[in-house]
Amino acid sequence: MTDATNSTFAVRRPLAGARTPSPVRAARRPAGRRYIGIILPLGLLIVWSLATWLAWVPAVFLPSPLATVKAFVAMVTRQSLHQDFLRSINIVSQAFVYGSVAAVVLGVAAGLSANVERFFGPTFDSIRHIPGVAWLPLIVLWLGLGAPAQILVIGKSVFFPVFLNTLQGIRNVEKSHIELAKVLTLTRSQLIRRVVIPSAVPSIMVSLRYAAGVAWALVVTAEGLSGQEGLGYLIFRAQNLLITDQLIVCMVIIGLVGFAIDRLMLLLQRFVLRWKQGFEG
Amino acid sequence: MTQRGTLEIRGVEKHYDVDGRPLKILDHIDIDVAAGEFVSIVGPSGCGKSTILRLVVGLDDDYAGSIRLDGEPIKGTSLDRGIVFQDHRLLPWLTLEQNIGLSLENSRLSAEEKRRTIAEHIALVGLRGFEKVYPYQLSGGMAQRAAIARGLVNRPEILLLDEPLGALDALTRLRLQEELLSIWRIEKTTMILVTHDVDEAIYLSDRVLVMTANPGRIVKEIVVDLPHQRDRGSPTFAAIKRDILREMGDYAVHVAAA
């Protein structure tokens, strides 16, 4: 390397760590503390076991952990639970992709043009205050029970947070960066591609992570109210038939998948925003 | 005589509107800078010295008077006129290499030529090995060197330096002053440096223009006729410094008392 590595000009961090951000982050978090998050779930599991074992709660309301695992195995082997699971994942993925792509495209357009924002503003601000559940009956009347109606309702709930954050992100571009683009004689399209959109990416990423969680949570409502398949449908069916163990199996799966989605989005966020110092979401 | 990099500022005046009344920011500014010359503008904060650079670079065209580069009136921003700001203004999402390359986005060079001249300028400012690094990983001095490389990579006729070393610690500052000098010798670009550091101005420039505020005007021009490397402790250096500080008004009392 050059003389630039001399003390006065030394990089603040070792370059090896800088290029691959994960070792730096791992080093900041001692290995032992990483597992601190497991204590609470384990504690809850113990309380759950005690509650059923000592019969604090009737088994029909709260089956034991073991009974729940058995129900899980039965559901996989005899009721093809995996198909309902994949079905839910499929619905949510489609809704998430359609909703967020539309939101980013329209958000960028509205962020760049005050007229586009004025055009959509009143309509969007009214629609977004009508919850997805309230839309469902009408949409089901139009599209019938099943996937399209569910995708539309979930997609709507993905759209608004992402749209609003994209718009805000575009508007928050630094004035000094615009000035720089002017000095470098960038054209409007270069300015948008190289300066404006990248400055909106952090807030877009935050909203995508949030929206992914919302979408997954909504699948229960959407499938429960308008369908014959999927995890959401299974939950409502289990409630009606008082098969509590199956109900809990579905809840645990939904929770774990939601957790996995959130962590995946966090990893994606860290990768996309690797240029941002200390960005933890 | 017009050689590439000759700047001519004639009778430039600028007003801001403050509560509906015009406030004079610049009062009849005349500056001539010869091709390849290094000129500094010093003055107290608020005297409008950075405003002059904003006008010359083309970020602000609301002024009276004329600014010509090589005899041609300036119009908007142009790749002929580079600038280095006090904050490095590297885009955080681009690597050092990409940041410098942003200057060449609209240049007529081929991709191969772009790659080569970017590499040359990274080497020129001593940042070889840091091409793929993001700005947050650079120290203040390194980021400012990168900004200088970005200002120079398109080989502008004139490079405007708006307190580029103002935010750096004293040692880094001295070192970057050396580098600026050697870059200036290699590139032979006309340079205008705005600073409030009188030592820096004397150390680097052929000429120092002294400004005062309310309204901003040039009150004195001092030719620094010392050979490089200049000795900051020499009596001549000190005499020039005393002259400049006296012109800047507020300091006069302290200088006289000292």
Side-chain angles (χ1 to χ4, degrees), chain A residues 4 11 18 182 185 190 194, chain B residues 77 89 93 105-106 126 137 142:
Chain A
V11 245
K182 220 172 149 192
T185 69
Q190 285 168 336
R194 311 302 297 271
Chain B
T77 56
R89 285 195 206 186
W93 46 86
E105 195 96 330
N106 295 324
Q137 296 163 305
M142 293 171 85

Side-chain angles (χ1 to χ4, degrees), chain B residues 192-206:
Chain B
I192 302 183
L193 170 74
V194 155
T195 180
H196 50 240
D197 180 341
V198 177
D199 276 42
E200 182 171 288
I202 304 171
Y203 189 75
L204 295 173
S205 340
D206 299 322

Side-chain angles (χ1 to χ4, degrees), chain B residues 6-209:
Chain B
T6 313
L7 183 75
E8 186 192 281
I9 300 177
R10 282 282 172 278
V12 163
E13 308 217 338
K14 164 125 192 102
H15 298 87
Y16 283 138
D17 255 9
V18 179
D19 300 331
R21 266 172 310 183
L23 178 71
K24 199 176 242 185
I25 299 299
L26 293 175
D27 183 22
H28 205 89
I29 303 291
D30 287 319
I31 301 174
D32 281 287
V33 185
E37 201 182 6
F38 199 131
V39 172
S40 289
I41 304 174
V42 297
S45 42
C47 72
K49 53 192 191 298
S50 291
T51 308
I52 297 180
L53 292 196
R54 288 180 64 83
L55 301 184
V56 174
V57 82
L59 281 172
D60 187 344
D61 53 10
D62 178 27
Y63 61 89
S66 84
I67 302 175
R68 289 162 183 272
L69 183 65
D70 299 333
E72 289 291 312
I74 60 146
K75 229 177 103 194
T77 56
S78 149
L79 290 178
D80 291 339
R81 282 166 275 135
I83 189 166
V84 180
F85 299 99
Q86 179 173 4
D87 54 324
H88 55 73
R89 285 195 206 186
L90 299 175
L91 298 179
W93 46 86
L94 299 182
T95 62
L96 187 144
E97 198 175 44
Q98 293 168 330
N99 263 295
I100 295 174
L102 200 61
S103 263
L104 297 176
E105 195 96 330
N106 295 324
S107 91
R108 285 194 205 90
L109 299 178
S110 70
E112 172 56 26
E113 287 168 324
K114 282 184 188 175
R115 206 190 46 74
R116 204 180 47 231
T117 179
I118 290 169
E120 277 169 19
H121 281 85
I122 288 175
L124 179 71
V125 296
L127 288 177
R128 210 179 299 165
F130 297 93
E131 289 84 354
K132 311 285 183 213
V133 158
Y134 287 104
Y136 83 87
Q137 296 163 305
L138 298 171
S139 67
M142 293 171 85
Q144 210 48 268
R145 291 154 171 240
I148 293 169
R150 180 180 60 194
L152 284 169
V153 72
N154 199 55
R155 303 201 181 268
E157 294 174 27
I158 187 166
L159 184 66
L160 308 168
L161 302 153
D162 189 3
E163 299 193 42
L165 313 183
L168 303 176
D169 65 90
L171 276 176
T172 311
R173 204 171 170 144
L174 291 184
R175 180 147 179 194
L176 271 182
Q177 289 172 3
E178 284 315 322
E179 301 219 349
L180 264 180
L181 272 183
S182 69
I183 288 169
W184 176 55
R185 277 191 217 110
I186 295 167
E187 301 271 316
K188 300 183 178 68
T189 314
T190 310
M191 300 221 184
I192 302 183
L193 170 74
V194 155
T195 180
H196 50 240
D197 180 341
V198 177
D199 276 42
E200 182 171 288
I202 304 171
Y203 189 75
L204 295 173
S205 340
D206 299 322
R207 262 189 308 143
V208 179
L209 305 175

Side-chain angles (χ1 to χ4, degrees), chain A residues 95-109 124 155 159 162-163 166:
Chain A
F96 180 72
V97 169
Y98 300 150
S100 53
V101 167
V104 169
V105 170
L106 282 179
V108 168
F124 280 7
F159 179 85
V162 179
F163 172 78
T166 305

Side-chain angles (χ1 to χ4, degrees), chain A residues 35-47:
Chain A
Y35 302 105
I36 205 166
I38 296 175
I39 297 174
L40 188 57
L42 279 181
L44 287 174
L45 187 65
I46 290 168
V47 173

Side-chain angles (χ1 to χ4, degrees), chain A residues 202-274:
Chain A
S203 65
I204 295 176
M205 290 310 295
V206 169
S207 69
L208 285 179
R209 185 177 166 205
Y210 167 77
V214 168
W216 181 245
L218 250 169
V219 78
V220 178
T221 323
E223 289 177 341
L225 296 179
S226 71
Q228 298 290 314
E229 44 186 344
L231 290 173
Y233 166 71
L234 289 187
I235 283 203
F236 280 82
R237 192 188 67 124
Q239 188 212 13
N240 287 336
L241 303 178
L242 215 65
I243 27 182
T244 327
D245 48 6
Q246 292 202 7
L247 179 70
I248 291 178
V249 168
C250 291
M251 285 173 66
V252 170
I253 291 175
I254 287 166
L256 290 178
V257 171
F259 175 77
I261 288 176
D262 190 64
R263 287 305 152 101
L264 273 176
M265 291 304 289
L266 184 61
L267 286 179
L268 179 71
Q269 197 177 355
R270 279 191 184 153
F271 173 74
V272 173
L273 300 178
R274 61 194 178 283

